[in-house]
Amino acid sequence: MAPETNPDEVGMAGRRMSRRKALRYLGGGAVGVAVLGMGGVWTLERSARLGSREAEKVKKARIVVAGGSIGGLTVAARFLRAVPDAEIVVIEPKEEHHYQPGYTLVAAGVYEETDVVFAQAPLFLPGMRWIKDSVARFEPERNRLVTSGGTLVEYDFLVVGLGVEMDLGSVEGLAEALETGYAGNSYMLPYGRKFRDLAASLPSGGRALFTYPKGYVKCGGAPQKICWLSEDKWRSEGRRQDMEVHFLTPQSSVFPVVPVIDEIVKPMMEARGIQHHFHHELKAIDVSTRTAIFLEESENGTTREHRMKYDLIHPMGRFRTPAALRQSALTADGIGGQLEVNRETLQHKRFPNVFGVGDCCATGAPKTAATIRKQAPAVVGNLIDAILDRPLGHLYDGTSGCPLLTRHGRCMMFEFDFQGQLVNEWLYQSTKETRLWWEFKVHGLKRLYREVMLNGYV
Ligand SMILES: Cc1cc2nc3c(=O)[nH]c(=O)nc-3n(C[C@H](O)[C@H](O)[C@H](O)COP(=O)(O)OP(=O)(O)OC[C@H]3O[C@@H](n4cnc5c(N)ncnc54)[C@H](O)[C@@H]3O)c2cc1C
C-alpha cells in the first residue's frame, strides 16, 4: 500500500479515495458477496440434499482432488458443504495461494503483491486432507496416482484441477527477455511487479508492444487489459502523445470470442491510438537488438516475418498443462494436453470416475475463475451422482465472465456463453465502461473469490 498522507484517505497504490467512499464501496462488495453467498447456500440446499443412506455411501468414497487452487479447492469445499463429515484428499505442492485474477492490478500499479498472495493452510476446511506434494504420474487405469515424493494414492473418484502454465520455451528468447530491463509480464508475479516499474519509467517517445499467444489462453482478456491500463496511465501522466503502443495478436480481431464486445473494443483501440496488428504470432525475441519477431499470416495462408523494435514489451508465450497431465492417459491427441472431459458434465470421456475443473479442462470455455464458479456446482453434483450410480444430472452451461479493465476507474463487465453470446446483459450493462464494475473488480471480486468460492458457496 502507498504510505497514507491523510488519515481520511485510503489508498490502493497510487489511487486515493475518501474513507467514506471506500467504506461505501467495500460495503457494496460485502453486500454483493453476502447475496452471492446466500444464493450459493440456497442452491446447495436444493441441489445436494441427500438421504442418510446416500450420504453414508458418498462418505465412504475415496475422493482425491489433484491441484489445490481455486478450481480444486472450490470443488472440495462445495463437496464438503453438501456432505459434511466426509473426507476429501487434496494434493497441492504450494504453501502460498495466489489470487491470479489480481495479477493484472499488480502489473498496473493498483494492487501490491501482498494483495494477491495468501497462506494456503487456512483455505483447507475441516474434512480436507492436504497432501503437500505434486502429482508426478496419473495411472487412471488402476485408479491411482503417484506423487513426486513417491507416495502412491489410490482413489475411487478423482477431480483434476491442475491449471495451465505459460510455456516460456514456446517463444525463442522469451525467458531471456524477461530478465532484461525492457520486458515484464503480468502473468508471473515478479515480472508483473517489474512491468509496473518499467512502465512507470518508460521514456516519452518509447515504443511499447503487447502480444497475445496462439492456442488456449489463461484469461484471454488479460493481455489486453494490461495494454489498456498502461496506455491510460501514460495518457493521464501526459506522456502518451509521443509514445507508440501496439497490440499484436494471432487472432482476427481484438476480442473475437465475443463479437458484440469486439465491435466496441476494436474501434476503442483505434480511437485511443493503440495500433492493432492481427494474424501476428510472436515467434522470437532478439534481446541484443531489442527486436520482437512476429510471423504474420495472410488470408491465403502464406506467412512473412515482421520485426519490431521495442523499448518495453509485454510478451506472451503459449500455454500448456503441467507435465503430469499432458503426458498422461487423461489427455488425448489434438487437445493440447488438456483433460479430455465432456464440456457440460465435466466427466472424463474415457475414465468415468474422473472429473475435471478449471483451466486444465478441454471444454473450450474461457480459462477463468469466473468459469470455475459456474463449473464447480456441476462437478460436485455429478460427482455425487456418479458415486450413487445415478445418471449425471448437472450441466455446466458454458457461461463465463470477464471484467475488462479498459482504463483506470473503468471496467466493462460481461458474461457470455459457449457461442460467445452475452448473458445477463441487463444486469451488467455489458457494453458500457462503468466506474461501478471497476470498484467491484478492485474491491469486491477478491472477496467473492476468497469468501464465497473458496468456502464452497457457489
Ligand atoms: C494475469 C491474469 C489475470 C486473470 N484475470 C482474471 C479475471 O479477471 N477474472 C477471472 O475470472 N479469472 C482471471 N484469471 C484466470 C484465473 O486466475 C484462472 O482461471 C484460475 O486461477 C484457474 O484456476 P485453476 O484452479 O484451474 O488453476 P490454477 O489457479 O492455475 O491452479 C492450478 C493448481 O494446480 C497445482 N499444480 C500444478 N501442477 C500440479 C501437480 N503436478 N500436482 C499437484 N498440483 C499441481 C498448482 O500448484 C496450482 O495451485 C487471470 C489469470 C491471470 C494469470
Side-chain angles (χ1 to χ4, degrees), residues 66-72 91-94 98-104 120 133-136 161-164 186-187 218-219 222 225 322 324 357-360 367-372 401-403 441 445 449:
S69 180
I70 185 68
I91 305 176
E92 166 60 51
K94 292 185 188 151
H98 283 220
Y99 171 62
Q100 295 174 54
Y103 278 13
T104 306
Q120 186 82 274
D133 202 346
S134 50
V135 177
L162 293 191
V164 295
S186 56
Y187 279 71
K218 184 193 302 226
C219 188
K225 288 182 210 175
V357 66
D359 289 3
C360 69
K367 297 191 182 302
T368 65
T371 299
I372 290 169
C402 177
K441 166 71 186 173
L445 277 177
Y449 180 102

Side-chain angles (χ1 to χ4, degrees), residues 75 159 345-346 355-357 374-384 394:
V75 163
V159 180
T345 63
L346 282 312
F355 290 83
V357 66
K374 301 290 177 106
Q375 285 180 338
V379 176
V380 173
N382 290 333
L383 177 62
I384 292 171
H394 302 80

Side-chain angles (χ1 to χ4, degrees), residues 228 254-255 261-269 404 412:
W228 291 119
V254 178
F255 211 108
I261 297 299
D262 189 54
E263 279 170 25
I264 293 161
V265 292
K266 186 168 169 259
M268 196 197 307
M269 217 172 232
L404 193 61
M412 290 168 73

